[in-house]
Amino acid sequence: MQLQLTQALERARIAIAWERSWPYLGRLLSVVGLFLVASWVGLWLALPSIARAIGLALFALAALAALFPLIKFRWPSREDGLARLDRGSGIRHRPATALTDTLSTQDPMARALWLVQRERTLSSLNKIRAGLPSPRLAIHDPWALRALVVVLLFATWIAAGGERGTRIMAAFNWNGVLAPANVRVDAWVTPPLYTGKPPIILSAANKDAADAAVLPVPAGSTLIVRSSGGALDVVLTGGVSEVAPAAEAPKGTSEKHFAIAADGTAHVRAPSGQPLWKFTATADRAPTISLAKDPERQARGSLQMSYKLEDDYGVTEAHAQFAARASDAKGAKPRPLFDAPSFSLVLPNARTRNGVGQTVKDLSEDPYAGAEVTLTLTAKDEAGNEGKSEPFNTRLPERLFTKPLPRALIEQRRILALDANQNGQVALALDALMIAPEAFTPEAGQYLGLRSVSSQLDRARTDAALREVVASLWSLAVTIEDGDITDVDKALKAAQDALKQALERGASDEEIKKLTENLRAALDNFLKQLAEKMKQNPQQLARPLDKNTKVMRQQDLNNMIERMERLSRSGDKDAAKQLLEQMQQMLENLQMAQPGQQGDGEMEQALNELGDMIRKQQQLRDKTFKQGQESRRDRSRNGKPEQGMGDLQQDQQGLRDRLKKLQDQLAKQGMGQGQKGQKGQKGEKGQGGQGEQGQQGDPGDGDGDGDGLGDADSAMGDAGGRLGEGNADGAVDSQGKALDALRKGAQSLAQAMQQGEGEGQSDGPGNNPGRQQSGGRESDPLGRPLHGRELGDDLTVKIPGEIDVQRVRRILEELRRRLGDTTRPQLELDYIERLLKDY
């Protein structure tokens, strides 16, 4: 019981202390609350430094005045606590105080009465309570101003937002009052590095202009504010936000960094007197990329792409992405074994703002070679923005195989690579190729290779195993096709590929030097072998050289190798790689001009193109027939007239344009089939004849032999017109005539290739070894046109010097720069565009 009394006594003393001190503490808290209200409402930001100091001093005096009465505060005594317990118990005769009384007499009667009274008092201790404190604030604050302070605190706390701490600290910023030393504020905007723009200096000197003007800056710029001699207080709005600085500020200064992601403002409130800067953020546009012209197939089967690039700050990387074109046929979704090819594109400059780039990529060995694909070009800038070109449907170039068996194997390889679900059809095709081996594959090695690949396909159960079958089909086709290639040719190609790969990955000068020496040695062996072959064909050497023949010496090729090495050492790897590709083209043209080598590469390519066109024309004819049936059925049901077939007409016109392009290529290469000849007139070369002299045209129709392509062009035009009229039956008839004419033209071209009639194959005068014809003009063995040189002219190869190349590059860059200047006259822009296009 004594413990219970002691605890109640302590609570009573604490309650008394709280009642005595709380009115004064309430006044102090009210002063502090008013200070916070003034701070969060932005009073200190609007006042000058001297007014801030005075205001803070007044609040300090008010706080001291509120605390001054606490000087007389005394902690409650034991008697005060007992008295509060007596009042709180509600029992008369001071029970709590009575327990502390003592008996001074020894009278037994008095002692007995005292003990009885004490027992009664102890029994009533459970009713003793200290009670809750009652400071009676209403007496000290009859107007309830404390509630008003609480409401203002809540409202200003919400209004201040994230600036609460900054606005409170502004009250203690007394620059110019306590520290009258010079205070300097420097501010500048740093655009992103990739923009190449200089920093924008901001100064308080042009305060009026800065407050009114809006500064355009690139999005992602950084605002840096540095103060020496005082603390910084910057108020931000909009898309301007504070970021951590990348490095520490110089000693004795205060520095803050802010990212400008969108339009916004920045106002330096402390030190005072700084302007309000308004920024408008210019977003970085995504780059644009598009094909400058249709992709072209090169003589070696490489794909050449020319593309236009444009960006406000510069393109840093570009890629070409291919995707297999979706088939119209219904059925299971194709399951390709390989990803479609994708590779990086060469940029005209490290950061191309406006220019035309060109990339040559050898995809002839890719499983997708020869397939119908959709090409999409992508370009990226340093900010990560990406732009894409419009999808372009094309056919990937493939290596030309002249022998029938390798061509069949490559076709099955492509079918299997693009759809693993076709493995059964491919196995059936391989079995068909092994029928009657004594007639079709008389060489035992080729038959055994077919049997091995067929067995490998039968055992394949996974995609990985099927990919190995695809690789085996390629190896077998190349082995059969290139069985007669010598080790010297292989060594030369290997040396060229090794040097090209080293240039692409930026190898060291020592490695480049070693690889160029290997290339020089392989080239010497190749030229020696070429000389031996020429000696073994004296009938070719006996032919007189034409006066326009251009001579190539071994020293010319050596000079090209030395120049490649110099360009590589100087850091111009791209120019060295282009020079290597030029030399490879020259050597391949030289090989094509050798006696005994295949000279029908262009004819073979044209024949493949014709075969694809025949297939497309047949598909278009089938679609026309089917749509004609549907139109007649609808007409019979609904009585509606036949509608035009715009889509089919557009496809037919596209096929006709493709045929015209092929005719132009054949004409330029001197092996084209002509258009309509003159009635009864002898067809000249390229107009119905083969070789130097044509055959007599048939009277009545005026067509020379093999004039199928001209008839096909006329039939396609007639079919397109009938499709536009909605005459499906007439269009089908014209498309059938076009099919017959295409087959006739392909047959004539195949016969010319087999008989050796065509470019560089006739025995007429002037078709000497080491010389070709290109586009109806004489050309040297390297495929370059001759321009009527006279005897006595310098017939050696003139390789441009490095200074000439640099001069040409500077001229091209200047032309491209002027083309991008839209303020120039349109006549000048058109002329510059024609110059670049011709280049």
Side-chain angles (χ1 to χ4, degrees):
M1 299 300 290
Q2 188 67 29
L3 178 61
Q4 185 178 0
L5 179 62
T6 303
Q7 293 176 349
L9 180 61
E10 291 298 326
R11 290 194 296 269
R13 296 176 69 183
I14 293 174
I16 296 172
W18 179 258
E19 291 173 351
R20 292 178 180 178
S21 63
W22 176 242
Y24 309 107
L25 293 176
R27 295 191 186 101
L28 176 63
L29 293 177
S30 297
V31 173
V32 174
L34 290 175
F35 171 77
L36 294 177
V37 169
S39 300
W40 288 343
V41 83
L43 176 64
W44 311 124
L45 299 177
L47 295 177
S49 299
I50 185 65
R52 297 178 190 177
I54 295 174
L56 188 62
L58 292 176
F59 273 106
L61 291 175
L64 291 175
L67 291 175
F68 182 78
L70 288 177
I71 297 176
K72 299 178 180 180
F73 176 79
R74 294 292 181 270
W75 188 258
S77 64
R78 188 169 181 270
E79 288 74 15
D80 295 335
L82 291 174
R84 182 179 181 88
L85 290 177
D86 291 338
R87 292 193 303 270
S89 64
I91 302 175
R92 294 180 297 172
H93 306 300
R94 304 180 295 110
T97 305
L99 290 175
T100 61
D101 293 342
T102 59
L103 185 63
S104 59
T105 180
Q106 297 297 326
D107 183 16
M109 181 60 68
R111 186 173 183 83
L113 292 174
W114 182 79
L115 289 175
V116 173
Q117 176 64 25
R118 184 175 180 83
E119 288 177 0
R120 291 179 180 179
T121 303
L122 288 174
S123 63
S124 64
L125 280 179
N126 54 354
K127 298 181 180 181
I128 294 178
R129 297 288 184 273
L132 296 175
S134 178
R136 294 180 295 176
L137 291 178
I139 298 176
H140 302 279
D141 184 16
W143 299 97
L145 296 179
R146 58 189 183 278
L148 178 62
V149 174
V150 173
V151 172
L152 291 176
L153 272 175
F154 182 74
T156 55
W157 181 83
I158 295 177
E163 301 179 4
R164 300 183 189 98
T166 302
R167 295 189 177 189
I168 293 174
M169 297 305 298
F172 302 92
N173 185 3
W174 304 339
N175 292 325
V177 178
L178 299 180
N182 293 331
V183 179
R184 177 181 177 85
V185 175
D186 295 313
W188 63 94
V189 176
T190 302
L193 182 61
Y194 65 85
T195 62
K197 292 188 174 182
I200 303 174
I201 306 301
L202 308 176
S203 175
N206 55 352
K207 180 179 185 302
D208 296 335
D211 286 336
V214 178
L215 299 175
V217 297
S221 299
T222 302
L223 169 64
I224 302 175
V225 182
R226 178 181 296 172
S227 172
S228 58
L232 272 176
D233 177 21
V234 184
V235 180
L236 308 173
T237 61
V240 185
S241 59
E242 186 172 0
V243 295
E248 294 184 1
K251 187 176 181 180
T253 62
S254 177
E255 183 174 294
K256 291 185 178 181
H257 291 214
F258 308 94
I260 306 176
D263 298 352
T265 63
H267 187 193
V268 180
R269 296 287 183 88
S272 60
Q274 303 299 319
L276 172 66
W277 293 303
K278 302 176 182 178
F279 303 102
T280 174
T282 304
D284 187 359
R285 300 194 308 269
T288 60
I289 183 171
S290 61
L291 287 171
K293 58 181 179 179
D294 292 351
E296 298 178 350
R297 183 190 188 279
Q298 300 300 293
R300 297 175 293 160
S302 301
L303 180 66
Q304 176 178 311
M305 293 184 297
S306 299
Y307 37 88
K308 297 179 180 178
L309 299 163
E310 185 176 354
D311 188 57
D312 44 4
Y313 298 121
V315 178
T316 56
E317 59 178 300
H319 299 272
Q321 299 175 347
F322 295 88
R325 199 184 310 177
S327 176
D328 297 334
K330 297 181 180 179
K333 184 178 180 180
R335 182 164 58 92
L337 294 173
F338 299 88
D339 294 332
S342 175
F343 53 87
S344 300
L345 300 177
V346 178
L347 300 179
N349 308 103
R351 283 189 178 90
T352 303
R353 294 194 175 185
N354 190 354
V356 178
Q358 180 174 298
T359 297
V360 178
K361 186 70 174 181
D362 186 5
L363 299 174
S364 58
E365 298 183 9
D366 195 275
Y368 281 76
E372 300 290 340
V373 296
T374 300
L375 168 64
T376 304
L377 305 181
T378 60
K380 288 185 178 181
D381 57 17
E382 194 161 343
N385 299 315
E386 181 178 276
K388 293 185 177 182
S389 67
E390 292 293 331
F392 181 81
N393 294 330
T394 185
R395 182 183 181 185
L396 281 182
E398 57 184 329
R399 174 177 173 175
L400 299 178
F401 289 86
T402 59
K403 298 179 181 179
L405 183 56
R407 291 176 61 185
L409 292 176
I410 291 302
E411 181 181 3
Q412 298 305 316
R413 169 184 178 258
R414 181 171 60 251
I415 293 174
L416 181 60
L418 269 61
D419 188 3
N421 298 324
Q422 300 294 327
N423 57 342
Q425 298 295 330
V426 174
L428 184 62
L430 293 179
D431 292 340
L433 292 176
M434 290 186 291
I435 297 176
E438 66 281 354
F440 300 103
T441 52
E443 297 185 15
Q446 298 180 7
Y447 178 79
L448 291 177
L450 278 173
R451 176 63 65 184
S452 175
V453 174
S454 178
S455 301
Q456 184 181 4
L457 179 58
D458 292 338
R459 296 190 304 269
R461 295 294 181 269
T462 63
D463 287 353
L466 291 176
R467 283 190 283 268
E468 294 179 0
V469 174
V470 172
S472 299
L473 285 171
W474 172 262
S475 300
L476 180 59
V478 172
T479 301
I480 298 174
E481 178 72 17
D482 298 341
D484 56 347
I485 289 184
T486 63
D487 293 337
V488 175
D489 296 331
K490 294 179 180 179
L492 178 60
K493 188 176 185 306
Q496 292 172 345
D497 293 340
L499 181 56
K500 183 178 180 180
Q501 293 175 4
L503 291 174
E504 288 178 349
R505 70 171 185 271
S508 61
D509 294 341
E510 293 76 9
E511 184 178 357
I512 296 295
K513 182 178 181 181
K514 181 180 179 180
L515 292 176
T516 52
E517 291 176 355
N518 294 340
L519 177 59
R520 188 179 290 107
L523 183 60
D524 292 341
N525 294 333
F526 170 78
L527 294 178
K528 290 178 181 178
Q529 176 184 261
L530 179 62
E532 291 295 331
K533 288 185 177 181
M534 295 294 291
K535 291 179 181 179
Q536 295 173 6
N537 292 271
Q539 69 278 9
Q540 299 289 342
L541 294 174
R543 295 176 181 175
L545 289 175
D546 186 79
K547 66 178 182 179
N548 291 328
T549 301
K550 201 171 183 180
V551 179
M552 181 187 68
R553 301 174 301 175
Q554 181 176 356
Q555 183 61 34
D556 299 326
L557 295 174
N558 290 334
N559 291 340
M560 294 184 71
I561 295 177
E562 292 177 0
R563 184 161 173 246
M564 272 190 292
E565 190 174 359
R566 289 198 306 270
L567 290 173
S568 177
R569 285 198 304 267
S570 64
D572 198 350
K573 306 287 186 183
D574 293 336
K577 187 170 64 174
Q578 292 176 2
L579 193 59
L580 176 60
E581 292 177 353
Q582 180 184 352
M583 189 182 73
Q584 288 178 327
Q585 182 69 48
M586 294 166 62
L587 291 175
E588 288 187 4
N589 291 332
L590 183 61
Q591 285 178 309
M592 294 176 64
Q594 296 178 41
Q597 297 289 332
Q598 289 290 342
D600 304 313
E602 292 84 358
M603 280 192 176
E604 184 69 26
Q605 181 182 356
L607 192 60
N608 290 339
E609 182 74 5
L610 273 177
D612 185 67
M613 292 175 63
I614 291 173
R615 179 173 59 84
K616 293 293 182 61
Q617 183 64 72
Q618 181 65 51
Q619 294 176 353
L620 185 59
R621 187 189 184 197
D622 295 341
K623 290 182 180 179
T624 304
F625 178 74
K626 182 177 180 181
Q627 187 165 343
Q629 286 184 326
E630 295 176 353
S631 299
R632 285 193 296 271
R633 189 181 304 113
D634 295 340
R635 182 177 56 183
S636 62
R637 292 177 179 176
N638 305 323
K640 295 181 179 180
E642 292 188 16
Q643 302 296 326
M645 304 178 180
D647 295 340
L648 297 177
Q649 183 185 18
Q650 185 177 1
D651 293 342
Q652 185 65 73
Q653 183 60 37
L655 198 59
R656 187 184 184 190
D657 295 340
R658 187 174 171 185
L659 176 62
K660 289 181 178 180
K661 184 177 179 180
L662 178 61
Q663 287 177 294
D664 294 340
Q665 292 177 353
L666 292 174
K668 291 179 180 180
Q669 295 167 359
M671 57 181 181
Q673 297 177 355
Q675 308 297 329
K676 292 285 182 181
Q678 295 295 331
K679 185 179 291 187
Q681 183 180 0
K682 180 179 291 187
E684 297 180 356
K685 180 179 179 182
Q687 294 184 350
Q690 305 288 345
E692 293 294 331
Q693 299 293 331
Q695 296 180 358
Q696 182 71 30
D698 294 334
D701 60 4
D703 296 346
D705 184 22
D707 190 25
L709 300 187
D711 293 340
D713 179 71
S714 301
M716 287 181 180
D718 184 61
R722 294 180 185 274
L723 286 171
E725 298 171 357
N727 185 359
D729 295 336
V732 169
D733 293 338
S734 299
Q735 289 171 341
K737 294 178 182 179
L739 271 175
D740 294 337
L742 286 173
R743 294 191 181 101
K744 181 180 178 182
Q747 183 178 3
S748 300
L749 192 60
Q751 291 175 356
M753 185 178 66
Q754 293 174 0
Q755 298 172 3
E757 299 174 356
E759 180 184 349
Q761 296 293 334
S762 68
D763 295 331
N767 273 337
N768 297 314
R771 194 189 61 175
Q772 294 178 305
Q773 294 178 347
S774 176
R777 297 177 297 176
E778 297 291 342
S779 62
D780 66 357
L782 307 180
R784 298 170 297 192
L786 301 174
H787 301 283
R789 294 182 178 272
E790 301 294 339
L791 290 176
D793 289 348
D794 184 7
L795 302 179
T796 58
V797 178
K798 298 296 185 181
I799 300 177
E802 191 168 354
I803 296 179
D804 299 330
V805 175
Q806 294 177 356
R807 184 182 301 112
V808 170
R809 287 184 177 177
R810 287 196 299 269
I811 293 174
L812 287 175
E813 287 299 326
E814 179 63 21
L815 288 176
R816 289 166 181 161
R817 185 189 67 79
R818 295 188 180 186
L819 183 62
D821 186 1
T822 56
T823 60
R824 295 182 177 274
Q826 186 61 38
L827 183 63
E828 180 182 354
L829 295 176
D830 294 340
Y831 176 69
I832 295 175
E833 187 173 3
R834 288 197 301 271
L835 287 178
L836 293 174
K837 183 178 180 181
D838 293 338
Y839 172 78

